[in-house]
Amino acid sequence: MARNPAANRDQFRPDDHPNDTFLLSTVVGSYPKPKWLNRADELVDDPDSKFDDSDLEEAHDDACRLITHEHERAGLDTVVDGEMRRNEMVEFFADRIDGYEFNGPVKVWGHNYFDKPSVVEEVEYDEPWLVDEFEFTSSVAERPVKVPITGPYTLGFWAFNEAYPSTEELVYDLADLVNEEVEKLVEAGARYIQIDEPALATTPEDHAIVGEALERIAAGIPEEVRIGLHVCYGDYSRVYPEVNDYPIDEFDIELSNGDYEQIPVLEEPELEPDLALGVVDAHTAEVESVEEIKRNIRQGLRVVPPEKLTISPDCGLKLLPREIAYGKTENMVTAVREVETEIDAGEIDLDNPLADD
């Protein structure tokens, strides 16, 4: 069953928020890296370069500071650092978990390769994965910071399992490790955790495994900490209404890319966690207009009331040109604030939010 999103949502409302209505605005996580950061990553591996690990750390700090401030300049209520220190979403965590090893890249599509890891022995938690990242971002941010973490189901099923009798057992051990990491993040001050499970959309018949993993992750985490689940693409009818049984505060999904054809899936039965609705397409290098995004936001009001609606891009924006990613984010926040104003003025019929379209 859903946690208690009403208990942790208001802490992200800015003190100077201009409207009575509050639609929480956020981003999923990744963001385009500055070109000079990619060059810095290359230089540190070049034996002929004088660029060393301390130089790379400084470059990462600079990039995290830059993107965090870029998110704040766009007006987001909660920010991330754009995952400037991370590479691929599984590789980054597998490199920090004892029990994984890497044996070279595998081709996933087109000319794209993924350094798919293998689990060769029982996974164990050693050093924190994200606490330093969170503490640095919090130190340079004026807005609350969200922490995205690749979930145990994706970490398990997107790796070669050479150590466990079943991948399900691996997932549960990984979930216990994620719980340890979340506890350390909470001790460091984190109040907004997002669990990314894109693999769920590819094998939705395993929704019960994900549910058990989330139970383990949420165990002992206080209600004032917001836990979101992000699942991009896929047929959500294959995991709904089972999502209502998950111990989460927010269900974050990609719907802009599909023109909201799946919105009716969420209408019956009532969605128990808050809805985090994707309103700009992470796959198109075109900036949606404010009016288009406002129409997309109203799609979410078909499913939940304003006090249960979070607004975000469909997914991470890292594959887009940076100016496009910023334009989408800025227009998204403008659209959010305008929709809030229109709700306050009674200009949107919340019983029929698409009435004027």
Side-chain angles (χ1 to χ4, degrees):
M1 140 171 227
R3 295 174 90 235
N4 187 5
N8 54 50
R9 182 186 179 92
D10 254 6
Q11 65 186 303
F12 306 112
R13 180 188 181 113
D15 292 338
D16 59 351
H17 188 67
N19 301 311
D20 292 334
T21 299
F22 175 56
L23 305 176
L24 175 60
S25 65
T26 188
V27 284
V28 172
S30 69
Y31 198 78
K33 292 184 178 181
K35 292 183 176 62
W36 51 260
L37 183 59
N38 293 325
R39 178 59 178 148
D41 288 331
E42 295 169 358
L43 283 173
V44 79
D45 293 327
D46 183 351
D48 296 325
S49 169
K50 295 180 180 180
F51 200 85
D52 61 19
D53 286 339
S54 65
D55 296 323
L56 183 62
E57 182 178 358
E58 181 181 347
H60 282 152
D61 286 352
D62 288 344
C64 291
R65 184 182 293 108
L66 176 70
I67 300 306
T68 300
H69 290 166
E70 195 158 299
H71 284 165
E72 292 184 327
R73 189 168 71 251
L76 289 166
D77 300 311
T78 64
V79 301
V80 300
D81 65 3
E83 301 180 0
M84 294 293 107
R85 303 179 198 274
R86 307 189 195 183
N87 45 15
E88 197 276 335
M89 66 183 303
V90 172
E91 286 179 42
F92 178 85
F93 290 94
D95 193 43
R96 287 158 176 77
I97 298 173
D98 289 348
Y100 280 88
E101 70 175 27
F102 293 90
N103 298 300
V106 297
K107 191 172 185 178
V108 286
W109 73 88
H111 297 290
N112 294 286
Y113 288 81
F114 158 46
D115 200 0
K116 186 173 181 176
S118 297
V119 178
V120 296
E121 58 187 18
E122 186 173 312
V123 294
E124 294 182 358
Y125 188 90
D126 185 13
E127 296 294 326
W129 312 332
L130 300 170
V131 171
D132 287 349
E133 174 185 300
F134 168 75
E135 289 180 336
F136 179 84
T137 306
S138 295
S139 74
V140 301
E142 296 183 2
R143 295 291 175 97
V145 174
K146 179 166 77 171
V147 184
I149 303 176
T150 302
Y153 185 80
T154 299
L155 288 172
F157 276 86
W158 286 6
F160 297 112
N161 174 22
E162 300 175 13
Y164 283 77
S166 71
T167 305
E168 179 178 351
E169 293 174 69
L170 167 61
V171 168
Y172 295 153
D173 274 5
L174 286 166
D176 291 338
L177 305 192
V178 174
N179 172 261
E180 287 190 61
E181 178 67 13
V182 172
E183 287 181 342
K184 286 182 167 53
L185 285 164
V186 171
E187 290 172 8
R191 292 296 179 268
Y192 197 170
I193 306 293
Q194 175 183 286
I195 307 299
D196 294 327
E197 289 288 16
L200 177 59
T202 61
T203 49
E205 62 273 8
D206 285 348
H207 56 73
I209 298 175
V210 174
E212 170 62 23
L214 288 166
E215 291 283 353
R216 292 170 181 248
I217 291 170
I221 305 304
E223 282 191 345
E224 61 263 29
V225 177
R226 188 171 186 83
I227 298 178
L229 172 67
H230 173 64
V231 183
C232 46
Y233 60 83
D235 181 355
Y236 297 115
S237 69
R238 298 172 69 186
V239 297
Y240 193 80
E242 288 81 4
V243 164
N244 281 339
D245 296 326
Y246 290 173
I248 58 175
D249 298 296
E250 186 175 83
F251 184 42
D252 188 328
I253 52 178
E254 174 180 326
L255 288 178
S256 175
N257 182 252
D259 294 326
Y260 300 93
E261 291 180 357
Q262 295 194 65
I263 274 286
V265 168
L266 305 175
E267 291 180 331
E268 185 65 36
E270 179 180 339
L271 181 66
E272 293 187 18
D274 288 358
L275 172 64
L277 181 74
V279 297
V280 295
D281 191 343
H283 306 287
T284 60
E286 296 178 2
V287 177
E288 294 89 343
S289 70
V290 170
E291 287 304 314
E292 180 181 352
I293 299 171
K294 287 167 64 176
R295 289 194 296 272
N296 294 346
I297 292 170
R298 289 164 70 165
Q299 292 279 357
L301 294 171
R302 294 170 57 185
V303 177
V304 294
E307 62 271 19
K308 288 181 64 66
L309 185 59
T310 298
I311 302 300
S312 72
D314 265 353
C315 201
L317 301 175
K318 68 178 181 180
L319 297 180
L320 295 172
R322 189 163 143 216
E323 66 274 12
I324 298 294
Y326 181 79
K328 285 175 179 280
T329 306
E330 184 179 44
N331 279 8
M332 184 185 79
V333 174
T334 299
V336 166
R337 302 286 92 99
E338 289 188 9
V339 168
E340 291 173 346
T341 301
E342 291 168 8
I343 292 172
D344 287 353
E347 296 171 7
I348 295 177
D349 180 359
L350 294 178
D351 293 325
N352 187 12
L354 301 182
D356 297 331
D357 279 4

